[in-house]
C-alpha cells in the first residue's frame, strides 16, 4: 500500500503553516541562528494534529475509566480461574464485550499518530541538497531550498546524530555541533516520553489485567529505551516534532485528569453483610502497628472529692461498719469523753 497520501497531507500542513508565518514576516532572516518560520511550522503541525485527535483522546480517558471500574470483577475472575489462563482470557474478553470496554483503546492515539510521524520523517529525510530539482508532494524549488538550509542554533534541521561525513558536508554543518544538539534533543525526547506514560499511570494506577499491564510497561519502559537507538537516525526536525508532541501531551493529560479525576479504587471487596463504615474502621486500625482492632471503650468513673476517679477493680473495698455494734450495751456506764474534745454523737 502506497503511503504517498500521508506524505502529501503532512507536506500540505507543514507548507501551510510555513506560508502563514512567512506572511507575517517571521521568516525574514534568522534569530539566534534559527529559521523560526520552519521551526514554528513543525510545532504547529503538532498543534493541528492534537486538535484533530482531541475527541480520540477523550475516548481514551473514558476507556481507562471503564477499565478501572472493572478492576474488582477482573480480580474476582483471576481468583476464580487461577492457574487456568485460557479460561481466564475467555472470561475477561466476555466481560470486556459485555461492558463495552476496550483495553487497547489506551494505545489508539499513539497508533493514529504513527503515520504522521512516519510521514514527517520521510519528508524531512528528503531535505538534502542532493535532491534539489527532485521536489515532490507539492513542494516548490524555493520552498525545498529554504527548508534544506533551515537551521536551529546554526544546526540544520535535516541533520541527525548519525549523519555521515558526506551528508554533513552537503549540509555545510559541523559534525560536533550536530551531535551535541541532536544528543540534547534526543535526551529530552526520551525523558518526556517516559514522563507522559508515568503521569498517566500515577493518576490511574497499574491495571489488573495482565495484558493491559504489559501494555503499560511497554509504554513506560520499552518505548523510551528504543529511542536510545532509533533517536540517532531521526532528523533534528523530527525530534523537535516528538518533543513538542510530548510537552503538549503532558499539558493535555494534566488538564483532563484534573478536570475528570479517576474514581477511587477500593482496597478490597466488601464481605457480605459488612458495612462501609466497619471496613473503614478496620482498615485504619490495621494500618497502626500493635492495634489489631479497636477495643471497647471503658465507662467513665465518677470523679471523687478531689477530682480523682474512683476505682473499683484495682483497689479492694473496705468492709462496711455496723453502726449497731458501736452502740453502748444496755446497763453499761456511759463513757466520758476526754476534755478538750467534743463528745462523739452516738447513733
Amino acid at each position: 500500500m502506497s503511503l504517498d497520501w500521508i506524505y502529501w497531507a503532512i507536506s500540505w500542513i507543514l507548507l501551510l503553516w510555513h506560508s502563514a508565518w512567512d506572511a507575517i514576516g517571521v521568516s525574514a532572516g534568522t534569530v539566534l541562528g534559527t529559521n523560526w518560520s520552519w521551526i514554528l511550522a513543525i510545532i504547529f503541525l503538532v498543534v493541528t494534529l492534537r486538535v484533530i485527535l482531541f475527541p480520540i483522546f477523550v475516548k481514551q480517558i473514558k476507556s481507562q475509566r471503564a477499565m478501572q471500574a472493572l478492576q474488582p470483577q477482573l480480580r474476582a475472575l483471576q481468583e476464580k480461574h487461577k492457574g487456568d489462563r485460557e479460561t481466564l482470557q475467555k472470561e475477561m474478553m466476555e466481560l470486556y464485550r459485555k461492558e463495552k470496554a476496550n483495553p487497547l483503546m489506551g494505545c489508539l492515539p499513539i497508533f493514529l499518530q504513527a503515520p504522521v510521524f512516519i510521514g514527517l520523517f520521510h519528508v524531512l529525510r528528503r531535505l538534502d541538497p542532493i535532491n534539489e530539482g527532485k521536489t515532490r508532494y507539492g513542494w516548490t524549488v524555493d520552498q525545498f531550498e529554504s527548508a534544506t538550509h533551515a537551521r536551529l542554533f546554526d544546526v540544520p534541521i535535516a541533520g541527525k546524530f548519525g549523519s555521515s561525513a558526506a551528508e554533513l558536508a552537503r549540509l555545510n554543518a559541523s559534525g560536533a555541533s550536530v551531535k551535541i544538539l541532536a544528543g540534547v534533543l534526543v535526551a529530552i525526547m526520551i525523558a518526556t516520553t517516559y514522563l507522559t506514560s508515568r503521569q498517566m499511570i500515577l493518576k490511574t494506577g497499574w491495571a489488573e489485567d495482565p495484558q493491559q499491564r504489559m501494555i503499560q510497561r511497554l509504554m513506560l519502559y520499552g518505548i523510551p529505551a528504543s529511542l536510545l537507538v532509533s533517536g540517532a537516525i531521526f532528523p533534528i526536525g523530527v525530534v523537535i516534532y516528538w518533543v513538542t508532541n510530548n510537552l503538549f501531551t503532558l499539558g493535555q493529560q494534566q488538564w483532563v485528569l484534573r478536570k475528570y479525576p479517576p474514581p477511587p479504587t477500593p482496597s478490597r471487596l466488601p464481605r457480605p453483610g459488612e458495612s462501609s463504615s466497619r471496613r473503614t474502621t478496620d482498615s485504619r486500625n490495621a494500618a497502626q502497628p500493635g492495634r489489631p482492632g479497636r477495643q471497647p471503650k471503658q465507662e467513665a468513673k465518677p470523679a471523687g472529692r478531689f477530682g480523682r476517679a474512683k476505682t473499683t477493680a484495682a483497689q479492694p473495698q473496705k468492709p462496711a461498719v455496723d453502726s449497731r455494734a458501736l452502740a453502748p450495751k444496755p446497763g453499761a456506764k456511759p463513757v466520758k469523753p476526754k476534755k478538750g474534745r467534743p463528745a462523739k454523737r452516738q447513733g
Side-chain angles (χ1 to χ4, degrees):
M1 180 180 178
S2 175
L3 298 178
D4 282 352
W5 67 273
I6 296 178
Y7 307 148
W8 275 92
I10 298 303
S11 296
W12 182 80
I13 298 174
L14 193 64
L15 294 174
L16 180 65
W17 278 114
H18 175 263
S19 299
W21 295 114
D22 189 27
I24 61 177
V26 174
S27 63
T30 61
V31 179
L32 299 177
T34 302
N35 300 99
W36 290 105
S37 59
W38 287 108
I39 303 300
L40 290 174
I42 295 174
I43 292 174
F44 277 82
L45 171 65
V46 176
V47 174
T48 304
L49 175 66
R50 296 312 298 259
V51 170
I52 294 174
L53 293 181
F54 185 76
I56 306 296
F57 182 77
V58 174
K59 289 184 179 180
Q60 176 194 14
I61 297 297
K62 290 182 178 179
S63 176
Q64 290 173 341
R65 297 291 187 270
M67 292 298 300
Q68 281 184 294
L70 292 178
Q71 295 306 309
Q73 299 181 55
L74 291 174
R75 285 195 294 267
L77 289 176
Q78 290 172 354
E79 291 294 329
K80 180 179 179 181
H81 302 291
K82 185 180 296 185
D84 190 354
R85 188 174 183 84
E86 183 178 355
T87 304
L88 176 62
Q89 290 294 331
K90 290 181 180 179
E91 293 288 338
M92 287 194 303
M93 290 298 105
E94 179 63 22
L95 179 63
Y96 294 151
R97 186 193 64 80
K98 180 180 178 181
E99 300 295 335
K100 298 180 180 180
N102 187 358
L104 300 179
M105 187 67 187
C107 300
L108 183 59
I110 294 179
F111 292 151
L112 294 178
Q113 292 180 64
V116 179
F117 174 79
I118 294 173
L120 183 64
F121 175 79
H122 177 79
V123 169
L124 295 184
R125 191 178 59 175
R126 289 184 52 83
L127 296 179
D128 192 323
I130 200 173
N131 292 323
E132 288 183 359
K134 302 177 183 177
T135 59
R136 299 178 63 185
Y137 315 127
W139 290 68
T140 65
V141 175
D142 292 339
Q143 289 171 336
F144 185 86
E145 291 181 355
S146 176
T148 300
H149 299 289
R151 293 174 177 264
L152 174 64
F153 305 127
D154 287 327
V155 176
I157 63 174
K160 50 184 177 292
F161 188 88
S163 293
S164 64
E167 291 174 339
L168 293 173
R170 290 196 299 268
L171 294 172
N172 191 23
S174 168
S177 59
V178 170
K179 289 184 183 300
I180 291 174
L181 181 60
V184 171
L185 290 176
V186 168
I188 297 174
M189 176 178 65
I190 294 172
T192 52
T193 301
Y194 171 79
L195 289 175
T196 53
S197 299
R198 184 174 181 270
Q199 181 189 51
M200 184 63 71
I201 293 175
L202 287 178
K203 293 292 184 179
T204 60
W206 288 95
E208 296 289 340
D209 179 16
Q211 182 181 6
Q212 186 75 4
R213 178 169 292 202
M214 181 182 66
I215 295 175
Q216 287 179 323
R217 291 187 181 278
L218 176 63
M219 299 289 294
L220 185 62
Y221 303 113
I223 294 180
S226 67
L227 295 177
L228 286 172
V229 179
S230 58
I233 65 173
F234 292 161
I236 289 176
V238 172
V239 181
I240 294 172
Y241 165 85
W242 195 306
V243 171
T244 305
N245 185 67
N246 287 345
L247 295 176
F248 199 98
T249 301
L250 284 170
Q252 192 178 59
Q253 286 182 168
Q254 182 66 23
W255 180 82
V256 172
L257 292 172
R258 180 176 296 180
K259 189 174 181 62
Y260 307 103
T265 304
S267 58
R268 63 180 178 86
L269 294 175
R271 292 190 292 266
E274 182 180 14
S275 64
S276 59
S277 60
R278 174 64 181 277
R279 293 198 307 272
T280 304
T281 302
D282 291 346
S283 62
R284 290 179 179 176
N285 293 336
Q288 301 181 13
R291 294 187 61 185
R294 184 180 292 276
Q295 301 295 332
K297 292 183 178 180
Q298 296 183 355
E299 295 182 359
K301 304 296 181 182
R305 181 178 179 182
F306 299 100
R308 297 164 59 182
K310 296 181 180 180
T311 57
T312 56
Q315 298 179 359
Q317 296 181 354
K318 295 181 180 180
V321 179
D322 190 359
S323 61
R324 290 180 297 178
L326 299 178
K329 296 181 179 181
K333 294 181 179 181
V335 180
K336 294 181 179 181
K338 296 182 179 180
K339 294 181 179 182
R341 292 183 179 180
K344 293 182 180 180
R345 185 178 180 180
Q346 300 295 329

